[in-house]
Each structure stands twice: as structure tokens, then as C-alpha cells.
Amino acid sequence: MSAKDNDLILIEAIKWLGDIGCSEPLNSDKRDFYGLISNPEYFEEEKIDSKIPQNFNFENIDNIKSLKKYLLSKIPDLNINAFSYDGFENSDLMVIGDKSDVNINNNEKPFHGEVGKLLDAMLKAIGFDQSNTYYTNIYLLSDSIDKGMINKIIKKQILIVQPKVIIMLGAEVTKILTNIDKSIFQTRGKWFDIEIDNISNSIPGISMFHPRYILANLESKKETWEDLKAVRKKLT
């Protein structure tokens, strides 16, 4: 990530805090807001070899790159960018959106453009970024994936990351992970216990507005800030 990109995120974060009327200090080692981590290991282009052993089993997958490798080998028309994720695989915080906002040929990251900038600013405001957060979407950019497989893939990612908190952006994500079919206006700001096979304890997940909605409805920023503070409290 370039210095220019860091500056843009810094500006967005400051705008975000001003808009929501934030006056309380952040954690002392994060409050200077000097950009996201610039360690290139988090931002290098990913190269995936789609060849895997014949006996490789979905249940045995224990890391994200192997999961992507498996999907590319088993789903013939799956584009390499269809399964999008970002950040650190062993994070305390996991952010799950519904679908990418750009064409699969442009970028494999789950959050892009103004949506991505706003999400970066939101998380930066509570001390999180690509170095300590894992990002993904529930929907792969492929018509050949049924909902049952989508459910398995997102839960496999949760099992691999084993976060302490999950942010569910939007009603669709909340429904898939909680089996509660309600609008985002009914679930937003509420916490749910997310049960994942092979994880003994449930994982707390909060339902929040997607940044896409916030950009179109700026009055929702204050509610979102309350949710972000709740996430920060849960993780400290």
C-alpha cells in the first residue's frame, strides 16, 4: 500500500470521526492514525496453484489458501478472483459482507472503492486494519455455487480463522449465520451467538449496516459508531 493510499485512509478516518461526533480518545497506541500497516506481506499479489492432490478433502483444509485452491480445482468455472478475502488469517476480528461491488476481473479483494475506504476508516477508528482483521464475503462471484455450499465455505473460513468477534454486514449475512430471517433494521446493533461445528464455544457476532448502505444513508453513521464501540468493548 502506497503512502498516498495511507493518506487517503487517514483522511477518510478523520472525516468519519468528525461526522459521527466522536470526542473520546482511542487506544493510545492507535490514536495517531498514521495509516495502515505497510508491511508488504499483507498486500502482495497472491499466486494460487490450482493443482491439488486427489485425496485432498474439504474437511481436512486448515488454511485459507488451501481452501481457495480446493475451490478452484473442484468448481470448473470458478474464476480465481471469485473467492475474495483479505487481511490476517488468525485475527480476533472477522468482517463478513454479502458480495463484492466490482467485476471479478478487476480485483480479488472483498471490499473496494468508496465502500472499502469507508470500511477501512470505520475499523481504523477502533484500532483495526488488515494486520489484525480478516475480511470476506458470503457470496462467491459464480453462478454455479448453491446456497448449501456457500454456507459450508463461510463456516469453513470461520473455523480456520476462529475469531473472537464477527461483524455481519447486512441482513443476508446475518440470516446465513444465525438462521434469523429479519430485516437489517430489526437485527442491527444486536449480538448473536454463532455456532460453528468443531468450535466448542459460540462466537459473538454483531449485525451492522453494510458500508454501502451507510454511504447512501449518512444519518446511519451514528448508529454504526455505537456498534463499532460495542465491538471494541467486546474485544478488550
Side-chain angles (χ1 to χ4, degrees):
M1 181 175 288
S2 68
K4 182 178 179 181
D5 290 333
N6 280 335
D7 288 343
L8 288 174
I9 292 171
L10 171 59
I11 292 168
E12 288 295 324
I14 293 172
K15 286 180 179 178
W16 167 263
L17 292 174
D19 287 344
I20 61 180
C22 176
S23 59
E24 62 183 90
L26 300 172
N27 184 292
S28 60
D29 62 349
K30 294 288 184 181
R31 64 210 274 181
D32 59 13
F33 272 88
Y34 284 112
L36 297 179
I37 190 165
S38 58
N39 189 329
E41 72 176 278
Y42 295 106
F43 305 103
E44 289 179 351
E45 286 287 327
E46 183 182 22
K47 296 180 180 178
I48 299 286
D49 177 7
S50 61
K51 295 180 180 178
I52 63 172
Q54 289 296 319
N55 61 351
F56 199 56
N57 189 288
F58 184 84
E59 300 303 321
N60 296 332
I61 295 172
D62 61 1
N63 64 82
I64 301 299
K65 285 188 177 181
S66 292
L67 176 59
K68 183 165 188 172
K69 198 173 181 179
Y70 175 89
L71 295 174
L72 288 170
S73 71
K74 296 297 184 182
I75 305 171
D77 65 341
L78 191 67
N79 183 287
I80 192 169
N81 292 337
F83 174 52
S84 58
Y85 64 93
D86 196 11
F88 182 50
E89 185 172 308
N90 301 116
S91 295
D92 287 345
L93 179 62
M94 185 171 182
V95 178
I96 305 175
D98 47 18
K99 58 186 177 182
S100 178
D101 291 303
V102 298
N103 186 280
I104 58 176
N105 295 318
N106 293 337
N107 201 312
E108 65 182 69
K109 305 301 181 184
F111 300 95
H112 312 273
E114 293 303 311
V115 167
K117 288 178 184 177
L118 178 55
L119 180 60
D120 284 341
M122 288 165 56
L123 297 180
K124 187 68 178 175
I126 59 169
F128 285 84
D129 55 37
Q130 281 94 334
S131 70
N132 58 6
T133 307
Y134 178 82
Y135 312 75
T136 192
N137 289 317
I138 53 173
Y139 292 128
L140 279 69
L141 300 178
S142 172
D143 294 332
S144 62
I145 313 294
D146 63 36
K147 289 188 176 181
M149 189 61 183
I150 285 171
N151 196 300
K152 286 182 64 177
I153 292 168
I154 194 61
K155 289 187 175 180
K156 170 59 79 170
Q157 290 178 80
I158 295 172
L159 179 60
I160 292 169
V161 177
Q162 298 204 26
K164 293 180 180 177
V165 167
I166 296 173
I167 291 177
M168 302 176 289
L169 296 175
E172 290 183 273
V173 182
T174 303
K175 178 182 177 181
I176 283 178
L177 292 182
T178 66
N179 292 318
I180 295 174
D181 189 6
K182 293 183 178 181
S183 76
I184 188 61
F185 304 105
Q186 294 173 293
T187 62
R188 191 240 104 224
K190 293 183 171 59
W191 287 92
F192 301 89
D193 292 327
I194 300 172
E195 305 285 347
I196 302 295
D197 291 342
N198 300 322
I199 297 181
S200 56
N201 297 321
S202 61
I203 300 171
I206 186 170
S207 181
M208 290 177 54
F209 291 133
H210 196 287
R212 188 189 307 115
Y213 175 84
I214 300 170
L215 287 170
N217 301 272
L218 296 181
E219 68 278 6
S220 65
K221 282 188 173 184
K222 289 189 177 181
E223 292 171 304
T224 300
W225 177 236
E226 293 303 315
D227 297 342
L228 288 168
K229 288 193 293 184
V231 170
R232 183 174 62 186
K233 182 177 180 181
K234 187 77 74 171
L235 287 167
T236 56

